[in-house]
Amino acid sequence: MSHTLLLVDDEEKVLEFMEPFLRQEGFEIVTAKTGKEALQKAKEVKPSLVVLDWMLPEMSGIDVCRELRKTSHVGIIMVTAKTEETDKIIGLEVGADDYITKPFSLRELAARIRSVLRRMEGQENQEEMMKRGNLAISEAQCRVWKQGKEIALTPTEFKLLLTLAAKPGVVYSRLQLLQSIFEDDLFNDERTVDAHISRLRKKIEDDPYRPVYIQTVYGFGYRFGEQI
């Protein structure tokens, strides 16, 4: 199956660097140079994944990511020259599935793209809906509902929720969750998990500061609540 990628960067040479290689890798490519153009192209083309530069004219990549997440489950990889941990965490908290820091190799970019796409595709086989409290989770469709209303989760958030909800009461360390949601070794910062947990709680918990579904086990990691 051919996937369409939307590459967003205001520097023509960066697009020229990425586009030919990714076409050779079998992807369909659409490009945009500004934040507003990116949102318009995303609406028109409905890409499988967006490779999104942080620094853009008109609106930042972070703002574009935030807008996309209001209506779309599209995979998003942030491209940034920023190396501070807090900057990377901001990108994850607004809904990015992964990030890559400039300068990067094209092979690494392709690996990250495929990793996010695999998480999006989920499981092929149909199965019974997983019910956890007010949540209904479809592994086959990679969709989640709370009290009948669908919740828009990123591929990474969905896989994290699925891992925890599959075994209520079982405590997972950050490293175990990291290895579960990221299938390669390119992403190895355990604190990334905290950012995704924080965002996931805001979406599924009635009160994210008093979580019922995803509970912190201090000194160990996280678990899905048993008494739900």
Side-chain angles (χ1 to χ4, degrees), residues 160-190:
L160 184 58
L161 174 62
L162 186 64
T163 299
L164 290 165
K167 296 182 178 180
V170 174
V171 179
Y172 289 86
S173 69
R174 288 172 176 79
L175 179 58
Q176 287 175 315
L177 291 171
L178 190 69
Q179 292 171 339
S180 173
I181 61 178
F182 296 105
E183 299 171 5
D184 51 50
D185 295 326
L186 297 172
F187 210 127
N188 55 17
D189 185 350
E190 293 182 30

Short mmCIF file of all heavy atoms in Angstrom, two decimals, residues 160-190:
data_model
loop_
_atom_site.label_atom_id
_atom_site.label_comp_id
_atom_site.label_asym_id
_atom_site.label_seq_id
_atom_site.Cartn_x
_atom_site.Cartn_y
_atom_site.Cartn_z
N LEU A 160 -0.05 3.15 23.46
CA LEU A 160 0.23 3.25 24.89
C LEU A 160 -0.99 2.84 25.70
O LEU A 160 -0.90 2.04 26.65
CB LEU A 160 0.65 4.68 25.22
CG LEU A 160 1.08 4.99 26.65
CD1 LEU A 160 2.25 4.12 27.06
CD2 LEU A 160 1.45 6.47 26.77
N LEU A 161 -2.16 3.36 25.34
CA LEU A 161 -3.40 3.00 26.03
C LEU A 161 -3.68 1.51 25.89
O LEU A 161 -4.05 0.84 26.88
CB LEU A 161 -4.57 3.81 25.46
CG LEU A 161 -5.96 3.45 25.99
CD1 LEU A 161 -6.06 3.68 27.49
CD2 LEU A 161 -7.04 4.24 25.25
N LEU A 162 -3.51 0.98 24.69
CA LEU A 162 -3.79 -0.42 24.44
C LEU A 162 -2.89 -1.33 25.29
O LEU A 162 -3.34 -2.31 25.87
CB LEU A 162 -3.60 -0.73 22.96
CG LEU A 162 -3.99 -2.13 22.49
CD1 LEU A 162 -5.49 -2.35 22.65
CD2 LEU A 162 -3.58 -2.33 21.04
N THR A 163 -1.62 -0.97 25.38
CA THR A 163 -0.67 -1.76 26.17
C THR A 163 -1.10 -1.82 27.63
O THR A 163 -1.11 -2.89 28.25
CB THR A 163 0.75 -1.17 26.06
OG1 THR A 163 1.16 -1.21 24.69
CG2 THR A 163 1.74 -1.94 26.90
N LEU A 164 -1.45 -0.67 28.19
CA LEU A 164 -1.83 -0.61 29.60
C LEU A 164 -3.20 -1.27 29.85
O LEU A 164 -3.37 -2.04 30.81
CB LEU A 164 -1.86 0.84 30.07
CG LEU A 164 -0.49 1.53 30.18
CD1 LEU A 164 -0.67 3.04 30.29
CD2 LEU A 164 0.29 0.99 31.36
N ALA A 165 -4.17 -0.97 28.98
CA ALA A 165 -5.54 -1.46 29.20
C ALA A 165 -5.64 -2.97 29.01
O ALA A 165 -6.54 -3.60 29.58
CB ALA A 165 -6.51 -0.75 28.26
N ALA A 166 -4.74 -3.55 28.25
CA ALA A 166 -4.80 -4.99 28.00
C ALA A 166 -4.55 -5.79 29.27
O ALA A 166 -5.02 -6.93 29.40
CB ALA A 166 -3.79 -5.39 26.92
N LYS A 167 -3.83 -5.21 30.23
CA LYS A 167 -3.50 -5.93 31.47
C LYS A 167 -3.70 -5.01 32.67
O LYS A 167 -2.73 -4.49 33.24
CB LYS A 167 -2.06 -6.44 31.41
CG LYS A 167 -1.83 -7.47 30.31
CD LYS A 167 -0.40 -7.98 30.32
CE LYS A 167 -0.18 -9.03 29.26
NZ LYS A 167 1.21 -9.53 29.25
N PRO A 168 -4.95 -4.77 33.06
CA PRO A 168 -5.22 -3.89 34.20
C PRO A 168 -4.48 -4.38 35.45
O PRO A 168 -4.41 -5.58 35.72
CB PRO A 168 -6.74 -4.00 34.39
CG PRO A 168 -7.25 -4.40 33.04
CD PRO A 168 -6.19 -5.29 32.46
N GLY A 169 -3.92 -3.42 36.19
CA GLY A 169 -3.24 -3.74 37.43
C GLY A 169 -1.77 -4.07 37.27
O GLY A 169 -1.00 -4.00 38.24
N VAL A 170 -1.34 -4.43 36.06
CA VAL A 170 0.07 -4.75 35.82
C VAL A 170 0.87 -3.44 35.71
O VAL A 170 0.48 -2.53 34.97
CB VAL A 170 0.26 -5.57 34.53
CG1 VAL A 170 1.74 -5.76 34.22
CG2 VAL A 170 -0.43 -6.92 34.69
N VAL A 171 1.95 -3.35 36.46
CA VAL A 171 2.78 -2.15 36.46
C VAL A 171 3.84 -2.26 35.37
O VAL A 171 4.57 -3.26 35.30
CB VAL A 171 3.46 -1.94 37.83
CG1 VAL A 171 4.33 -0.69 37.80
CG2 VAL A 171 2.41 -1.84 38.93
N TYR A 172 3.89 -1.24 34.53
CA TYR A 172 4.90 -1.16 33.47
C TYR A 172 5.88 -0.05 33.80
O TYR A 172 5.48 1.07 34.16
CB TYR A 172 4.25 -0.85 32.12
CG TYR A 172 3.44 -1.98 31.54
CD1 TYR A 172 2.10 -2.16 31.90
CD2 TYR A 172 3.99 -2.86 30.62
CE1 TYR A 172 1.35 -3.19 31.37
CE2 TYR A 172 3.24 -3.89 30.07
CZ TYR A 172 1.92 -4.05 30.45
OH TYR A 172 1.18 -5.06 29.91
N SER A 173 7.16 -0.33 33.66
CA SER A 173 8.16 0.72 33.80
C SER A 173 8.12 1.60 32.56
O SER A 173 7.59 1.22 31.51
CB SER A 173 9.56 0.12 33.96
OG SER A 173 9.97 -0.48 32.74
N ARG A 174 8.73 2.78 32.65
CA ARG A 174 8.80 3.67 31.49
C ARG A 174 9.54 2.99 30.34
O ARG A 174 9.18 3.13 29.18
CB ARG A 174 9.48 4.98 31.88
CG ARG A 174 8.63 5.88 32.75
CD ARG A 174 9.41 7.09 33.26
NE ARG A 174 8.57 7.99 34.03
CZ ARG A 174 8.22 7.79 35.30
NH1 ARG A 174 8.64 6.69 35.94
NH2 ARG A 174 7.46 8.66 35.93
N LEU A 175 10.60 2.26 30.68
CA LEU A 175 11.37 1.58 29.63
C LEU A 175 10.53 0.53 28.93
O LEU A 175 10.57 0.41 27.69
CB LEU A 175 12.62 0.94 30.24
CG LEU A 175 13.52 0.17 29.25
CD1 LEU A 175 13.99 1.09 28.13
CD2 LEU A 175 14.70 -0.45 29.97
N GLN A 176 9.74 -0.23 29.68
CA GLN A 176 8.88 -1.25 29.07
C GLN A 176 7.86 -0.61 28.13
O GLN A 176 7.60 -1.12 27.04
CB GLN A 176 8.17 -2.05 30.16
CG GLN A 176 9.06 -3.02 30.91
CD GLN A 176 8.34 -3.70 32.06
OE1 GLN A 176 7.63 -3.05 32.83
NE2 GLN A 176 8.49 -5.00 32.17
N LEU A 177 7.27 0.51 28.57
CA LEU A 177 6.30 1.19 27.72
C LEU A 177 6.97 1.78 26.49
O LEU A 177 6.42 1.73 25.39
CB LEU A 177 5.59 2.28 28.51
CG LEU A 177 4.65 1.78 29.61
CD1 LEU A 177 4.17 2.93 30.48
CD2 LEU A 177 3.46 1.04 29.01
N LEU A 178 8.15 2.31 26.67
CA LEU A 178 8.90 2.88 25.55
C LEU A 178 9.17 1.80 24.50
O LEU A 178 8.97 2.01 23.30
CB LEU A 178 10.22 3.48 26.05
CG LEU A 178 11.03 4.32 25.07
CD1 LEU A 178 10.30 5.63 24.77
CD2 LEU A 178 12.41 4.61 25.63
N GLN A 179 9.59 0.64 24.95
CA GLN A 179 9.89 -0.46 24.04
C GLN A 179 8.62 -0.99 23.37
O GLN A 179 8.67 -1.49 22.25
CB GLN A 179 10.60 -1.59 24.79
CG GLN A 179 12.00 -1.21 25.25
CD GLN A 179 12.62 -2.23 26.18
OE1 GLN A 179 11.92 -3.03 26.80
NE2 GLN A 179 13.94 -2.21 26.28
N SER A 180 7.50 -0.85 24.05
CA SER A 180 6.23 -1.33 23.50
C SER A 180 5.71 -0.41 22.39
O SER A 180 5.22 -0.87 21.37
CB SER A 180 5.19 -1.43 24.60
OG SER A 180 3.92 -1.73 24.07
N ILE A 181 5.83 0.91 22.61
CA ILE A 181 5.23 1.84 21.65
C ILE A 181 6.17 2.23 20.52
O ILE A 181 5.73 2.64 19.46
CB ILE A 181 4.67 3.10 22.34
CG1 ILE A 181 5.77 3.88 23.05
CG2 ILE A 181 3.55 2.74 23.28
CD1 ILE A 181 5.28 5.15 23.72
N PHE A 182 7.48 2.11 20.75
CA PHE A 182 8.44 2.41 19.69
C PHE A 182 9.19 1.14 19.34
O PHE A 182 9.87 0.56 20.18
CB PHE A 182 9.42 3.51 20.13
CG PHE A 182 8.75 4.82 20.37
CD1 PHE A 182 8.55 5.28 21.66
CD2 PHE A 182 8.31 5.59 19.32
CE1 PHE A 182 7.91 6.50 21.89
CE2 PHE A 182 7.67 6.80 19.53
CZ PHE A 182 7.47 7.25 20.83
N GLU A 183 9.05 0.71 18.10
CA GLU A 183 9.54 -0.61 17.71
C GLU A 183 11.01 -0.61 17.32
O GLU A 183 11.56 -1.66 17.01
CB GLU A 183 8.71 -1.13 16.54
CG GLU A 183 7.24 -1.28 16.90
CD GLU A 183 6.38 -1.60 15.71
OE1 GLU A 183 6.94 -1.79 14.62
OE2 GLU A 183 5.14 -1.65 15.86
N ASP A 184 11.65 0.54 17.28
CA ASP A 184 13.08 0.57 16.97
C ASP A 184 13.82 1.22 18.11
O ASP A 184 13.24 1.62 19.11
CB ASP A 184 13.34 1.34 15.66
CG ASP A 184 12.66 2.70 15.65
OD1 ASP A 184 12.84 3.44 16.64
OD2 ASP A 184 11.97 3.02 14.68
N ASP A 185 15.12 1.30 17.99
CA ASP A 185 15.96 1.83 19.06
C ASP A 185 16.32 3.30 18.85
O ASP A 185 17.18 3.84 19.53
CB ASP A 185 17.26 1.02 19.17
CG ASP A 185 16.98 -0.41 19.60
OD1 ASP A 185 16.03 -0.61 20.38
OD2 ASP A 185 17.71 -1.31 19.15
N LEU A 186 15.65 3.96 17.90
CA LEU A 186 16.02 5.34 17.59
C LEU A 186 15.49 6.30 18.63
O LEU A 186 16.01 7.39 18.81
CB LEU A 186 15.47 5.72 16.20
CG LEU A 186 16.04 4.90 15.04
CD1 LEU A 186 15.29 5.24 13.76
CD2 LEU A 186 17.52 5.16 14.87
N PHE A 187 14.44 5.89 19.31
CA PHE A 187 13.79 6.76 20.28
C PHE A 187 14.00 6.12 21.65
O PHE A 187 13.37 5.14 21.98
CB PHE A 187 12.29 6.83 19.95
CG PHE A 187 11.66 8.13 20.35
CD1 PHE A 187 10.94 8.86 19.43
CD2 PHE A 187 11.77 8.62 21.64
CE1 PHE A 187 10.34 10.05 19.79
CE2 PHE A 187 11.17 9.80 22.01
CZ PHE A 187 10.45 10.52 21.08
N ASN A 188 14.90 6.67 22.47
CA ASN A 188 15.25 5.96 23.70
C ASN A 188 15.21 6.83 24.94
O ASN A 188 15.85 6.52 25.93
CB ASN A 188 16.64 5.32 23.56
CG ASN A 188 17.69 6.34 23.16
OD1 ASN A 188 17.47 7.54 23.30
ND2 ASN A 188 18.83 5.86 22.69
N ASP A 189 14.47 7.93 24.92
CA ASP A 189 14.34 8.79 26.09
C ASP A 189 13.11 8.37 26.87
O ASP A 189 11.98 8.57 26.44
CB ASP A 189 14.23 10.25 25.64
CG ASP A 189 14.22 11.22 26.83
OD1 ASP A 189 14.10 10.74 27.97
OD2 ASP A 189 14.32 12.42 26.61
N GLU A 190 13.32 7.77 28.05
CA GLU A 190 12.20 7.25 28.82
C GLU A 190 11.22 8.34 29.23
O GLU A 190 10.04 8.08 29.43
CB GLU A 190 12.73 6.53 30.07
CG GLU A 190 13.49 5.26 29.75
CD GLU A 190 13.96 4.54 31.00
OE1 GLU A 190 13.29 4.65 32.04
OE2 GLU A 190 15.01 3.89 30.94
#
